[in-house]
């Protein structure tokens, strides 16, 4: 059962760094597991809490947010806003008894295709280890 | 006013780039079953003229009001498909793309799972498309003029073309003189033209051109703005100056590989020199070692190139030919000397190059296959340890003078400019062009173009060709006079706004402001860059970032997870 | 033998036949061993008659070929793999067979009795590491049994005591590290040693271990997977002790000294500076460099199982060339940091009649002189 579990991970990537990094992984043909589905946003700073909570409530097994490295934000400070928001959000998830490590925030630049692929691989493995989102079963009952 | 969405979905094979891994027919069949989808097709190349024509015909035939193209990254072809839709009378913001190449077929090998992922990606984008609204396209005037960074042959060639077209050019050169690396060379290959004859007139023209403002001993220290309107800060000995231009050309050149990073090659010995040092000796006409004419001069190829141990897996493209040139010139000066080139492959592309190589051998330059492993000293001479791979015999070749054909690397300080302009670099360290074949001088940053060796090793003809290409690309916005600006800006719903001013605090561009009379926020669309920070921060959810609204994003989430 | 599987496993496809491997190979100059040509054969021919290549036993595992390869192919690993084929078929030189058997039976390639492994202590008291210690002092076979190497082993124990380190040894339970065993092609025996030694070493619970020989150092550091244990060669530890003022080198050793970089310490693990730092810390020592030093050091021909196999050209030993290079510098002492280098180079000094001029000494013997009478 654990072996056949293929997690579903939703990724919000900023257009300028992480999304471009994901493209570079593609042009460099770096292979990674197909468990992550990407939604393009202009900036990680525009990731609303509902964007993270909705998929988790609906049964996604993880949420990845990818932004530019500190100091590199295309909009100057959007990634700092994302960082503050994710920290707060994780606190809330934790206090609600939910495993906050299903939400990952990572800085990936446009030239870090390798890092993107590596991040996806690591996250897929980490979530596989955790097993399916408990919320999924809750709703299925 | 919104009519019911009628979506056309187009799945691209991209030759076999997508279809080799993703079952495109199956994805197209799947897309046809999605809500609001009226027509779904797959096609060999959606970006081709017939591919675009297909979309345009369908818009007409099926009365489509949304188009979804599942193909490469939107960073690649979104403008193409937006343009096609626009020609057919559709608002370009009603086109959306699913990235099933860079983010699917190229990164997965399991056909079944890749096809499944492609379906999810298409479903997600179709869901977003149903929620799209048309946006008004806006344009601003372009500040005429270009900044060219780097005063080598690439920078000068680009600057002259832009200036000759009648636009002001600000040429920023870090050192105290123009000419760059080229000025350090003696003669060109394969024509053996003195470099001075080539570069002298070029420098003269740049210096006297009325449209070119020259900054020597100066560097670009800050860049703000976007294509059409860049503000570039130039810091030099006379202090700082800000110039405003519509486009930027980067021509910062390369560094030479430092042979000390291959300690086994004995660069510390006085008779082991780099090819650049050889250029100087050829300038001076002085090849003496320890006051004597060398009887043996040996060239070693591929030093710091094609070498993963030093992190340079690429070929530097010029060393084979400059070595042939130097060896040939040495043979002219010392006809009785043994002139040997030790190589692993000889690569002589380009006009007249192979012919030159033939002549060098005919003249008596000896080519011996086998790259050198180690150099050590024996008396006043050095010994080159290697293997003649064709004979299968190791050799210990004593020689008087060794020339290391050092390769090219990206500038040691390239990361400064890369960070400042947010210009991506490729794995080799050089600046990354937007597309290796179709957009070789464009970058990920609109309005910034690449010329010369800052993008990768090249010889003089290729450098000048690329510089002229960069100049013509940089001229496009200047000649057009206007550039489109972000249409997907944030807008405030005055009915929901409580006037708290949070948006004013978070915006780095000063776009939102509180209307004192009504006590609500208003966003200046000209200043708004469309990052969405205000929309996310707004506690009343009164602000929407157009084209990335919560309805659109959550529709995508629903389609992905549901 | 079919070539394809091994070619794939060792990723020989990366090879572009540039010749840097054979070009830098010290034995290629004196025997028919040509690793570049062997790789080419593997790439283009479906079968290889391994038996026909007796020169495979000439390789010293110095890894110059690995260091020089611009494509990250590891040519020396092909030799090890081909030797593995010969070992599997039992088609190996008699002396190699004896070394493997000795290691299997007595835990050392010389086949000396396991009970005598602590003979080097000369009845001095040494703590048993099994009782727990901060530093595990791994002795190794040659430093345990060879009377020429034993003084180094004792000098190190003395230095650790002077520096006040809490160290212990595995005593007669210590077995061969297997570095040479692997390079002779006996992968199975090597794996067994890794398992047994690894278990014993981890059980000690020391945070650091130190070896006398760069060969042991290499395999423990790179092939054992001893996570959490800092594996050191003695030159690294001793240089640090001197730097920290824990070892006072008071007595002058007024000698001109040149230093020979062992392949397993230098080329393969890039420990170049520490041995020199020790020599320079000894008062009176004048350090002179040979032209071929550090990355260009010439192999003494003692590695890769060559202590137990003569190879195909006995007349031209690399060690002869090396001691001549040392003598040409005007040095009185050729310092080494490896027991194999010590033995091969000392032999060469004798054969070449350079005894009046040049003496081969381990760095630790010089340190011991400088520490004064015990």
């Amino acid at each position: 059962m654990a072996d056949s579990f293929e997690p579903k991970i939703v990724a919000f990537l900023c257009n300028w760094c992480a999304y471009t990094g994901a493209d570079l992984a593609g042009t460099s043909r770096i292979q990674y597991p197909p468990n992550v589905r990407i939604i393009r946003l202009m900036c990680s700073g525009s990731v609303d809490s509902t964007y993270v909570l909705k998929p988790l409530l609906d049964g996604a097994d993880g949420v990845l947010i990818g932004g530019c490295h500190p100091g590199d934000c295309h909009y100057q400070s959007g990634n700092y806003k994302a960082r503050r928001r994710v920290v707060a959000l994780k606190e809330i998830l934790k206090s609600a008894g939910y495993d906050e490590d299903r939400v990952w925030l990572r800085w990936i630049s446009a030239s870090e295709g390798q890092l993107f692929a590596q991040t996806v691989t690591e996250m897929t493995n980490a979530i596989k280890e955790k097993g399916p989102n408990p919320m999924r079963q809750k709703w299925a009952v | 006013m919104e009519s019911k969405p009628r979506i056309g979905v187009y799945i691209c094979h991209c030759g076999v780039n997508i279809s080799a891994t993703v079952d495109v027919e199956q994805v197209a069949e799947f897309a046809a079953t999605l809500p609001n989808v009226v027509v779904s097709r797959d096609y060999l190349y959606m970006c081709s003229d017939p591919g675009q024509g297909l979309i345009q015909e369908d818009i007409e035939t099926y009365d489509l009001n949304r188009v979804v193209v599942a193909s490469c990254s939107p960073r690649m072809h979104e403008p193409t498909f937006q343009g096609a839709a626009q020609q057919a009378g559709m608002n370009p913001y009603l086109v959306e793309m699913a990235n099933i190449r860079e983010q699917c077929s190229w990164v997965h090998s399991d056909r079944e799972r890749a096809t499944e992922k492609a379906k999810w990606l298409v479903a997600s984008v179709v869901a977003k498309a149903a929620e799209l609204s048309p946006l008004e396209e806006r344009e601003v005037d372009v500040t005429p003029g270009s900044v060219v960074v780097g005063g080598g042959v690439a920078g000068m060639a680009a600057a002259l073309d832009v200036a000759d077209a009648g636009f002001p050019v600000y040429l920023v050169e870090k050192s105290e003189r123009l000419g760059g690396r080229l000025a350090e060379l003696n003669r060109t290959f394969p024509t053996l033209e003195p470099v001075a004859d080539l570069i002298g007139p070029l420098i003269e023209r740049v210096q006297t051109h009325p449209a070119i403002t020259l900054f020597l001993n100066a560097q670009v220290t800050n860049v703000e703005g976007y294509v059409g309107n860049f503000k570039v800060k130039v810091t030099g000995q006379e202090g700082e100056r800000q110039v405003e231009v519509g486009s930027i050309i980067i021509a910062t050149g390369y560094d030479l590989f430092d042979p000390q990073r291959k300690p086994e090659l004995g660069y510390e010995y006085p008779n082991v020199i780099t090819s650049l040092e050889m250029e100087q000796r050829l300038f001076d006409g002085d090849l003496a070692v320890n006051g004597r004419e060398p009887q043996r001069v040996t060239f070693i190829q591929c030093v710091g190139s094609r070498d993963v141990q030093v992190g340079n897996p690429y070929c530097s493209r010029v060393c084979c030919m400059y070595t042939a040139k130097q060896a040939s010139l040495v043979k002219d000066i010392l006809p009785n000397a043994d002139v040997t080139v030790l190589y692993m492959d000889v690569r002589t592309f380009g006009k007249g190059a192979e012919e030159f190589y033939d002549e060098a051998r005919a003249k008596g330059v000896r080519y011996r296959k086998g790259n050198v492993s180690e150099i050590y000293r024996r008396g006043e001479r050095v010994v080159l340890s290697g293997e003649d791979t064709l004979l299968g015999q190791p050799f210990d070749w004593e020689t008087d003078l060794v020339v290391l054909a050092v390769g090219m690397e990206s500038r040691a300080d390239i990361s400064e400019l890369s960070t400042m302009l947010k210009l991506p670099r490729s794995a080799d360290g050089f600046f990354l062009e937007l597309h290796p074949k179709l957009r070789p001088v464009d970058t990920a940053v609109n309005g910034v173009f690449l010329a010369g060796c800052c993008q990768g090793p090249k010889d003089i003809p290729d450098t000048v060709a690329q510089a002229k290409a960069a100049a013509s690309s940089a001229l496009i916005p200047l000649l057009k006079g206007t550039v489109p600006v972000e249409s997907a800006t944030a807008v405030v719903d005055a009915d929901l706004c409580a006037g708290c001013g949070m948006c004013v605090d978070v915006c780095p561009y000063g776009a939102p402001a509180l209307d004192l009379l009504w006590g609500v926020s208003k966003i200046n669309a000209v200043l708004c860059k469309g990052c969405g920070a205000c929309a996310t921060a707004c506690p009343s959810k009164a602000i929407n970032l157009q084209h990335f609204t919560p309805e659109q994003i959550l529709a995508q989430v629903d389609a992905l997870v549901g | 033998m079919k070539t394809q599987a091994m070619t794939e496993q060792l990723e020989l496809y990366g090879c572009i036949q540039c010749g840097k491997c054979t070009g830098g190979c010290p034995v290629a100059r004196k025997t028919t061993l040509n690793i570049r040509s062997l790789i080419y054969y593997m790439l283009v021919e479906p079968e290889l008659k391994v038996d026909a290549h007796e020169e495979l036993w000439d390789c010293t595992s110095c890894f110059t070929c690995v260091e020089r390869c611009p494509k990250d192919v590891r040519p020396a690993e092909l030799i090890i793999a081909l030797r593995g084929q010969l070992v599997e078929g039992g088609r190996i030189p008699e002396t190699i067979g004896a070394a493997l058997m000795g290691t299997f039976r007595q835990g050392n390639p010389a086949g000396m009795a396991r009970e005598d492994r602590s003979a080097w202590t000369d009845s001095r008291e040494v703590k048993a590491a099994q009782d727990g210690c901060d530093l595990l002092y791994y002795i190794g076979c040659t430093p345990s049994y060879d009377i020429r190497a034993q003084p180094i082993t004792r000098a190190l124990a003395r230095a650790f005591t002077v520096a006040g380190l809490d160290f212990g040894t595995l005593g007669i339970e210590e077995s061969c590290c297997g570095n040479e065993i692997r390079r002779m092609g006996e992968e199975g025996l090597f794996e067994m040693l890794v398992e047994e030694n690894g278990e014993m070493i981890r059980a000690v619970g020391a945070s650091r271990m130190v070896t006398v020989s760069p060969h042991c150092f290499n395999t423990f550091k790179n092939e054992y997977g001893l996570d959490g244990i800092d594996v050191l060669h003695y030159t690294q530890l001793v240089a640090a002790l001197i730097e920290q003022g824990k070892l006072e080198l008071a007595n002058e050793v007024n000698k001109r000294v040149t230093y020979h970089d062992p392949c397993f310490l230098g080329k393969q693990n890039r420990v170049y500076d520490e041995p020199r730092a020790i020599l320079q810390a000894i008062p009176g020592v004048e350090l002179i460099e040979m032209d071929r030093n550090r990355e260009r050091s010439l192999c003494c021909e003692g590695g890769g199982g060559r202590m137990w196999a003569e190879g195909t050209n006995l007349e031209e030993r690399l060690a002869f060339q090396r001691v001549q290079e040392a003598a040409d510098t005007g040095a009185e002492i050729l310092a080494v940091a490896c027991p194999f280098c010590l033995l091969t180079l000392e032999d060469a000094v004798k054969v070449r009649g350079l005894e009046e001029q040049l003496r081969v000494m381990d760095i630790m013997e010089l340190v011991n002189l400088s520490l004064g009478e015990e």
Side-chain angles (χ1 to χ4, degrees):
Chain A
M1 156 73 204
D3 288 340
S4 64
F5 166 56
E6 287 299 344
K8 207 182 269 185
I9 298 165
V10 176
F12 296 98
L13 304 186
C14 87
N15 179 58
W16 306 99
C17 293
Y19 192 91
T20 311
D23 277 354
L24 184 59
T27 44
S28 319
R29 311 293 200 279
I30 306 169
Q31 304 289 302
Y32 56 83
N35 301 63
V36 166
R37 286 99 199 245
I38 295 165
I39 294 178
R40 179 166 74 125
L41 295 175
M42 295 313 277
C43 179
S44 59
S46 72
V47 175
D48 196 280
S49 308
T50 54
Y51 297 179
V52 181
L53 293 173
K54 180 84 162 54
L56 291 178
L57 285 169
D58 288 352
D61 300 297
V63 173
L64 169 67
I65 298 153
C68 309
H69 284 274
D72 275 357
C73 175
H74 188 78
Y75 304 107
Q76 299 182 21
S77 56
N79 48 358
Y80 295 119
K81 291 167 185 143
R83 181 159 67 186
R84 282 203 294 268
R85 193 165 291 123
V86 169
V87 168
L89 195 59
K90 283 185 162 219
E91 278 305 314
I92 294 167
L93 286 171
K94 204 158 51 173
S95 66
Y98 190 82
D99 181 2
E100 80 274 14
D101 286 339
R102 288 182 185 273
V103 178
W104 285 30
L105 173 65
R106 291 293 183 273
W107 309 137
I108 295 158
S109 80
S111 55
E112 292 176 329
Q114 183 71 53
L115 180 62
F116 176 77
Q118 195 186 318
T119 304
V120 169
T121 309
E122 278 171 20
M123 185 165 183
T124 306
N125 291 339
I127 301 281
K128 269 190 184 171
E129 199 101 320
K130 290 179 190 298
N133 180 359
M135 216 83 87
R136 198 197 284 193
Q137 285 134 342
K138 214 165 276 177
W139 292 114
V141 172
Chain B
M1 99 179 211
E2 280 289 289
S3 52
K4 191 177 164 359
R6 295 178 60 79
I7 305 176
V9 182
Y10 301 88
I11 318 290
C12 184
H13 296 218
C14 194
V16 294
N17 279 297
I18 295 172
S19 58
T21 327
V22 170
D23 185 338
V24 284
E25 286 92 358
Q26 212 189 100
V27 177
E29 278 168 33
F30 164 80
T33 68
L34 294 168
N36 303 311
V37 172
V38 180
V39 56
S40 171
R41 300 180 189 280
D42 61 273
Y43 189 72
L44 193 58
Y45 284 107
M46 282 314 302
C47 61
S48 67
D49 281 347
Q52 295 182 47
L54 202 63
I55 300 176
Q56 290 169 330
E57 262 171 51
D58 281 356
I59 292 175
E60 179 83 26
T61 318
Y62 294 96
D63 194 22
L64 300 179
N65 57 16
R66 306 281 194 281
V67 165
V68 168
V69 185
S71 57
C72 50
S73 172
R75 299 183 56 84
M76 181 75 216
H77 269 312
E78 196 169 55
T80 311
F81 296 116
Q82 286 184 328
Q86 195 164 21
Q87 276 177 14
M90 185 189 280
N91 183 285
Y93 288 90
L94 299 173
V95 176
E96 197 63 37
M97 288 182 72
N99 187 340
I100 60 166
R101 190 180 73 174
E102 282 85 344
Q103 296 177 5
C104 190
S105 70
W106 276 352
V107 288
H108 308 312
S109 45
D110 182 326
R111 189 171 169 83
E112 201 175 312
R113 296 194 65 198
T115 304
E116 186 204 10
K117 175 171 169 181
K119 287 182 190 172
W120 286 106
L121 292 176
V122 169
S124 155
V125 170
V126 166
K128 179 179 181 184
E131 301 289 335
L132 289 174
S133 305
L135 297 181
E136 184 194 342
E137 280 205 282
R138 299 176 309 120
E139 296 202 316
V140 294
D141 288 340
V142 167
T143 311
S146 291
V147 160
V148 177
V149 189
V153 67
M156 290 195 293
L160 283 170
D161 276 10
V162 176
D164 284 347
F167 293 96
V169 173
Y170 305 93
L171 179 56
V172 185
E173 165 56 42
K174 195 160 68 173
S175 76
E176 72 291 342
R177 58 158 181 82
L178 288 171
R181 292 277 184 211
L182 183 52
E184 298 170 33
L185 307 183
N186 175 40
R187 283 168 190 271
T188 64
F189 61 78
T191 50
L192 298 183
E193 188 183 354
V195 166
D197 296 356
L198 196 86
I199 206 166
L202 207 56
I203 294 175
E204 172 76 19
R205 274 200 69 208
V206 169
Q207 282 171 336
T208 56
H209 203 295
I212 298 179
T213 309
L214 196 55
F215 297 92
L216 293 175
N217 294 306
Q219 274 175 283
V220 170
T221 48
N222 192 41
V223 178
E224 281 173 28
Y226 296 89
V227 57
N229 294 286
F230 287 107
K231 290 185 178 131
V232 180
K233 194 200 278 178
V234 179
T235 308
Q237 284 170 334
E238 294 88 44
E240 277 177 8
R241 185 170 157 199
Q242 181 166 288
V243 295
E244 297 187 10
V245 292
S247 53
I248 298 173
I249 295 169
I250 308 292
T252 47
Y254 62 94
D255 275 344
L256 280 172
F257 176 76
D258 175 5
Q260 289 182 52
R261 280 163 58 200
K262 296 208 78 72
E264 68 271 24
L265 293 183
Y267 181 55
E268 75 268 24
Y269 304 138
N271 42 351
V272 179
I273 64 174
T274 66
S275 40
L276 189 65
E277 288 161 346
M278 189 57 171
E279 290 290 329
Q280 189 56 50
R281 281 174 171 255
L282 290 167
F283 256 126
D284 304 341
D286 176 19
L287 299 174
V289 180
N290 295 318
R292 279 194 299 277
E293 256 185 21
Q295 293 168 326
R296 288 178 179 176
V297 181
T298 309
F299 292 82
I300 299 177
Q301 299 261 245
C302 296
V303 176
S305 305
R306 304 179 68 195
D307 188 344
V308 294
Q309 296 237 355
V310 296
N312 295 343
Y314 53 84
C315 165
S316 287
R317 298 177 96 243
V318 294
C319 323
C320 281
M321 277 310 294
Y322 74 56
T323 295
K325 171 196 77 177
Q326 292 186 344
S328 174
L329 290 172
V330 168
K331 194 73 193 167
D332 289 344
I333 299 169
L334 305 169
N336 296 321
D338 175 289
V339 180
T340 297
V341 177
L342 297 169
Y343 68 100
M344 44 193 198
D345 298 292
V346 175
R347 298 176 170 180
T348 57
F349 56 90
K351 233 180 193 180
E354 181 72 12
E355 296 90 323
F356 186 88
Y357 168 47
D358 290 341
E359 282 165 28
R361 289 185 338 270
K363 202 184 265 188
V365 174
R366 215 139 52 97
Y367 273 77
R368 190 168 199 186
K369 192 164 167 116
N371 216 333
V372 168
S373 195
E374 188 169 310
I375 300 178
Y376 57 94
R377 182 158 49 189
R378 186 178 290 163
E380 282 196 352
R381 285 182 145 181
V382 287
V383 178
L384 314 187
S385 287
E387 186 206 359
D388 184 316
T389 57
L390 297 178
L391 294 175
Q393 287 291 333
F395 59 73
D396 291 301
W397 175 249
E398 270 190 30
T399 191
D400 300 301
L401 182 60
V402 180
V403 184
L404 305 175
V406 285
M408 295 183 184
E409 289 187 327
S410 63
R411 284 268 187 197
D413 58 0
I414 192 171
S415 62
E416 288 173 26
L417 207 53
S418 168
T419 308
M420 194 188 306
L421 280 158
K422 305 199 168 55
L423 284 182
R425 294 157 62 189
S426 36
D428 58 14
F430 294 96
F431 284 125
L432 177 66
E433 65 284 359
L434 194 57
H435 188 280
K437 297 190 172 55
L438 299 176
R439 304 183 72 177
V441 301
D442 302 58
T443 68
V445 182
N446 222 338
V448 178
F449 305 93
L450 303 175
C453 293
C454 68
Q455 179 262 337
K458 41 184 79 64
D459 60 6
I460 302 166
D462 283 3
T463 295
V464 174
Q466 198 190 22
K468 291 175 89 68
S472 74
S473 294
L475 278 168
I476 293 172
L478 310 185
L479 289 165
K480 197 168 171 236
T482 58
V483 283
V485 288
E486 189 56 68
S487 295
T489 55
V491 290
V492 181
D493 183 339
D495 290 341
L496 292 177
C497 177
C500 70
M502 192 84 97
C503 50
V504 180
D505 292 341
V506 299
C507 178
Y509 307 105
L514 285 181
D515 183 319
L516 293 176
L517 183 60
W518 298 99
V520 293
S521 171
K522 255 184 103 166
I523 289 170
N524 181 341
V526 175
L527 295 177
C528 177
K529 308 289 182 214
C531 71
C534 57
T536 311
C538 177
S540 333
K541 298 289 160 218
I543 304 181
N544 252 338
L545 174 62
Q546 300 179 94
H547 213 60
F548 293 92
T549 66
E551 290 76 19
Q552 292 163 358
I553 303 300
L554 294 177
Q556 283 199 271
V557 169
D558 271 343
L560 283 183
V561 184
Chain C
M1 183 202 90
K2 300 257 185 261
T3 54
Q4 193 181 349
M6 195 180 285
T7 301
E8 279 171 12
Q9 193 206 333
L10 297 175
E11 295 180 18
L12 300 179
Y13 295 117
C15 175
I16 51 169
Q17 293 287 304
C18 69
K20 280 195 180 188
C21 46
T22 298
C25 174
V27 291
R29 289 179 159 62
K30 42 169 267 188
T31 82
T32 55
L33 182 69
N34 186 327
I35 182 61
R36 194 251 335 134
S37 151
L38 263 176
I39 293 176
Y40 188 64
Y41 198 92
M42 294 290 291
L43 289 168
V44 298
E45 290 289 345
E47 289 208 41
L48 176 74
K49 284 203 176 68
V50 195
D51 289 350
H53 292 272
E54 68 169 332
E55 79 276 14
L56 284 175
W57 298 103
D58 295 345
C59 172
T60 68
S61 293
C62 73
F63 273 54
T64 304
C65 52
V66 176
E67 282 299 289
R68 301 283 157 77
C69 176
K71 294 286 179 183
D72 263 356
V73 176
R74 301 173 62 79
E77 294 288 350
L78 172 61
I79 298 209
I80 295 173
L82 292 174
R83 286 179 177 179
Q85 293 286 313
L86 293 171
V87 169
E88 243 172 60
R91 296 157 299 183
I92 51 175
E94 209 173 301
T95 47
I96 294 277
L100 296 175
M101 192 52 82
T103 305
F104 182 70
R105 290 198 176 139
Q106 299 291 342
N108 70 86
M112 307 285 273
R114 177 175 282 284
E115 299 74 52
D116 296 339
R117 198 163 177 112
S118 291
W120 65 270
T121 58
D122 219 3
S123 354
R124 287 175 187 77
E125 197 65 31
V126 182
K127 184 173 167 183
Q130 288 86 341
D131 297 339
C133 57
D134 294 341
L135 173 71
L136 170 61
Y137 180 21
Y138 176 88
I139 313 295
C141 304
T142 307
S144 291
Y145 293 106
D146 191 288
I147 51 163
R148 177 63 191 91
Q150 283 172 348
I152 310 169
T153 318
R154 283 193 289 273
L156 265 170
R158 178 191 176 199
F160 298 156
T161 309
V162 170
L165 302 184
D166 171 32
F167 72 99
T169 70
L170 296 168
I172 63 163
E173 287 178 40
E174 185 187 277
S175 285
C176 174
C177 65
N179 186 74
E180 298 303 288
I181 303 300
R182 172 163 188 267
R183 282 147 189 82
M184 287 185 236
E186 184 34 304
E187 187 71 29
L189 180 56
F190 174 67
E191 276 170 20
M192 193 186 92
L193 292 168
V194 169
E195 196 172 314
E196 288 177 5
N197 291 334
E199 209 168 293
M200 194 158 36
I201 290 166
R202 283 187 202 91
V204 170
S207 59
R208 298 192 291 176
M209 71 181 283
V210 63
T211 71
V212 182
S213 168
H215 294 250
C216 310
F217 164 65
N218 177 66
T219 191
F220 286 132
K221 184 169 190 284
N222 303 315
E223 294 168 343
Y224 263 62
L226 294 172
D227 296 340
I229 302 174
D230 198 7
V231 180
L232 299 169
H233 180 252
Y234 86 75
T235 51
Q236 296 174 301
L237 181 58
V238 170
L241 292 174
I242 294 169
E243 169 87 29
Q244 293 157 7
K246 289 184 183 162
L247 268 188
E248 204 185 326
L249 303 181
N251 291 2
E252 287 191 2
V253 181
N254 289 308
K255 295 285 178 191
R256 286 190 306 277
V257 178
T258 191
Y259 171 65
H260 163 79
D261 289 274
C263 302
F264 279 79
L265 193 61
K267 277 179 188 140
Q268 296 187 41
N269 287 290
R270 296 191 165 77
V271 179
Y272 293 119
D273 295 329
E274 290 90 335
R276 291 176 168 80
I278 300 173
L279 289 170
Q280 277 164 329
I282 299 173
V285 163
E286 183 196 343
L287 180 63
I288 318 166
E289 291 285 0
M290 287 180 274
D291 185 57
R292 303 186 69 176
N293 62 51
R294 299 170 73 97
E295 292 84 356
R296 277 173 291 181
S297 175
L298 181 67
C299 176
C300 79
E301 231 175 323
R306 286 291 306 279
M307 294 305 283
W308 301 279
E310 286 287 16
T312 57
N313 180 346
L314 304 180
E315 291 73 38
E316 301 170 56
R317 289 179 191 269
L318 297 175
F320 296 167
Q321 196 182 330
R322 192 57 168 165
V323 294
Q324 195 57 56
E325 286 176 7
D328 289 348
T329 64
E332 300 155 275
I333 290 174
L334 170 56
V336 296
C338 168
F340 293 166
C341 296
L342 179 73
L343 297 173
T344 50
L345 295 173
E346 203 164 71
D347 276 356
V349 165
K350 286 177 196 150
V351 175
R352 279 303 166 103
L354 292 167
E355 290 147 297
E356 298 294 307
Q357 225 181 311
L358 189 70
R359 210 177 138 195
V360 184
M361 286 178 84
D362 192 273
I363 287 179
M364 245 356 256
E365 296 181 286
L366 291 164
V367 169
N368 206 42
L369 282 178
S370 187
L371 283 173
E373 292 289 315
E374 217 168 322

